[in-house]
Amino acid sequence: MSMGKYSVRFGYETRQFCTSTCLEEFKKGLKACSYCQRDLNSDGGDESVGFLAPVGEKGQFKDFCSPDCLEKYDTMSHNLPIQLSAHECAVCNKPKIVIVEVITAEKTVKLCSDVCFAAFKFVNDKMKISLCNMCKKYFDTSALPEQIMFYEDQPLTFCSKTCQNVQVLSKRKICPCNWCKVKKYNFDMIRKKMNNSVVYMCSLNCLALYQVSLRATIGKQKLKCDWCGKTEKANFHLTMSDASLRNFCSFECVDKFRGQYKVSGTGTATVTSSSLIVGATGMVSTVTTANSSATNTTSKFFYFLIKKNSHIGY
């Protein structure tokens, strides 16, 4: 039931914990670069890796893995403009201010203008060039792994995991779960648009319970049945294992919808289902059923069944 509630992003990885106690214990031994989020404990606990440096107006000490990360962190935290440098252009071979940089598998190509950049792309037409949303450098996605992350429904592309981590640091904010009110960073939450508003959920369990509560308050609303397509009063709702919701006008449509998940054949594998039935009194009961399916195949179909007017068992 707590799956996702104590899921927290640390650097490149998202880690899952069973309780808040385990999470806090893990944080005590955590040591990461404040800019690139490199794990400074990954080198066998070598204390020489990384250093402390005062940053910000209050001079708060933070860990860094290199002077370069310290300089970049200071630039990011103070919103300072990126310092431009002069270099010989890879196309026109003239020493000019670098406007465009392209990261390839072998080196970083420095270019002085958009015209030279267009000429570079024309000559290297086999390269798949994309723009990093963090460092604003172009990179060859056919040679370098492309990191993609969605932020407020928009896909963002990054040239490295470091740039992705820096983007998370610059955009993250603490927000409460709309159901249980636990507070986490927005990047550790499930973001979902519901009823023309955006909600944040800490776990799939909270999302499912929130949807059940929401549907229970709109009993007279007419919705399109997800089986027969009729726009009728939604008497039944199924919350799927991915937390999406299906609406049905009758139990017959529910049964037919369930039937498409039954695997034909004989064997010993099991198709299981767990139903949450809510009646007019608000009481909740759980029913579990099992059916046979194909040999050596296990298909699990979990959902919640809500009937708002009366109890139904099967």
Side-chain angles (χ1 to χ4, degrees):
M1 296 295 284
S2 63
M3 181 62 70
K5 185 176 291 293
Y6 303 110
S7 177
V8 182
R9 180 187 178 92
F10 293 101
Y12 307 147
E13 300 177 350
T14 299
R15 298 177 182 268
Q16 171 69 33
F17 301 90
C18 58
T19 62
S20 58
T21 303
C22 288
L23 173 59
E24 293 304 319
E25 284 296 321
F26 180 83
K27 284 182 178 179
K28 289 179 181 178
L30 188 66
K31 186 180 180 183
C33 175
S34 296
Y35 181 78
C36 69
Q37 296 297 293
R38 172 190 170 189
D39 185 5
L40 300 180
N41 290 326
S42 60
D43 296 281
D46 186 0
E47 295 183 358
S48 63
V49 177
F51 60 93
L52 285 170
V55 292
E57 296 179 356
K58 296 182 179 180
Q60 183 180 3
F61 281 86
K62 290 183 177 291
D63 288 298
F64 295 95
C65 63
S66 66
D68 186 49
C69 278
L70 171 59
E71 182 180 349
K72 289 179 178 178
Y73 182 90
D74 194 52
T75 301
M76 179 186 71
S77 59
H78 290 90
N79 272 333
L80 299 176
I82 299 175
Q83 297 294 324
L84 300 177
S85 60
H87 197 275
E88 182 178 315
C89 177
V91 173
C92 67
N93 297 322
K94 296 179 180 180
K96 293 183 178 180
I97 297 296
V98 177
I99 302 298
V100 180
E101 292 185 61
V102 182
I103 304 172
T104 65
E106 296 81 17
K107 60 180 180 179
T108 299
V109 180
K110 300 180 184 294
L111 306 167
C112 67
S113 65
D114 291 333
V115 175
C116 287
F117 180 43
F120 176 81
K121 289 193 293 182
F122 180 78
V123 174
N124 300 277
D125 57 336
K126 292 184 179 180
M127 281 189 179
K128 296 179 180 179
I129 297 177
S130 183
L131 176 66
C132 176
N133 286 97
M134 184 60 212
C135 66
K136 305 303 179 184
K137 295 179 181 179
Y138 291 88
F139 63 102
D140 181 13
T141 58
S142 60
L144 300 173
E146 186 179 25
Q147 311 293 327
I148 299 177
M149 178 183 70
F150 280 83
Y151 177 68
E152 294 185 350
D153 300 329
Q154 297 297 321
L156 301 179
T157 304
F158 303 97
C159 63
S160 64
K161 288 184 177 180
T162 297
C163 279
Q164 181 178 332
N165 286 337
V166 174
Q167 176 74 10
V168 170
L169 285 175
S170 62
K171 297 293 184 181
R172 70 181 184 180
K173 57 184 179 181
I174 297 176
C175 56
C177 172
N178 282 75
W179 180 254
C180 70
K181 306 306 178 183
V182 67
K183 292 183 178 180
K184 295 171 63 176
Y185 284 119
N186 54 330
F187 284 95
D188 296 329
M189 306 279 269
I190 300 170
R191 182 180 184 271
K192 191 174 181 66
K193 284 188 176 181
M194 300 181 69
N195 294 340
N196 299 320
S197 63
V198 177
V199 297
Y200 287 92
M201 299 292 167
C202 66
S203 63
L204 286 174
N205 180 59
C206 281
L207 177 58
L209 292 174
Y210 181 83
Q211 289 179 318
V212 168
S213 174
L214 187 65
R215 293 299 178 183
T217 63
I218 54 173
K220 296 182 179 181
Q221 183 177 349
K222 290 186 177 181
L223 299 170
K224 184 179 179 180
C225 177
D226 281 300
W227 180 255
C228 68
K230 295 180 181 179
T231 303
E232 301 284 350
K233 179 182 175 181
N235 292 313
F236 298 89
H237 308 284
L238 298 182
T239 302
M240 310 300 289
S241 58
D242 62 352
S244 62
L245 206 66
R246 302 289 189 270
N247 307 298
F248 302 94
C249 61
S250 65
F251 186 76
E252 182 182 359
C253 287
V254 174
D255 203 38
K256 289 179 179 179
F257 180 82
R258 289 181 55 208
Q260 67 180 333
Y261 290 92
K262 295 179 181 179
V263 183
S264 59
T266 58
T268 58
T270 303
V271 178
T272 63
S273 64
S274 179
S275 306
L276 179 66
I277 305 173
V278 181
T281 59
M283 297 178 64
V284 179
S285 59
T286 302
V287 179
T288 303
T289 61
N291 299 306
S292 297
S293 61
T295 306
N296 299 325
T297 303
T298 302
S299 174
K300 293 186 177 180
F301 176 51
F302 299 98
Y303 58 85
F304 298 114
L305 171 62
I306 301 96
K307 178 68 172 74
K308 291 179 292 220
N309 298 324
S310 62
H311 287 286
I312 292 182
Y314 54 89

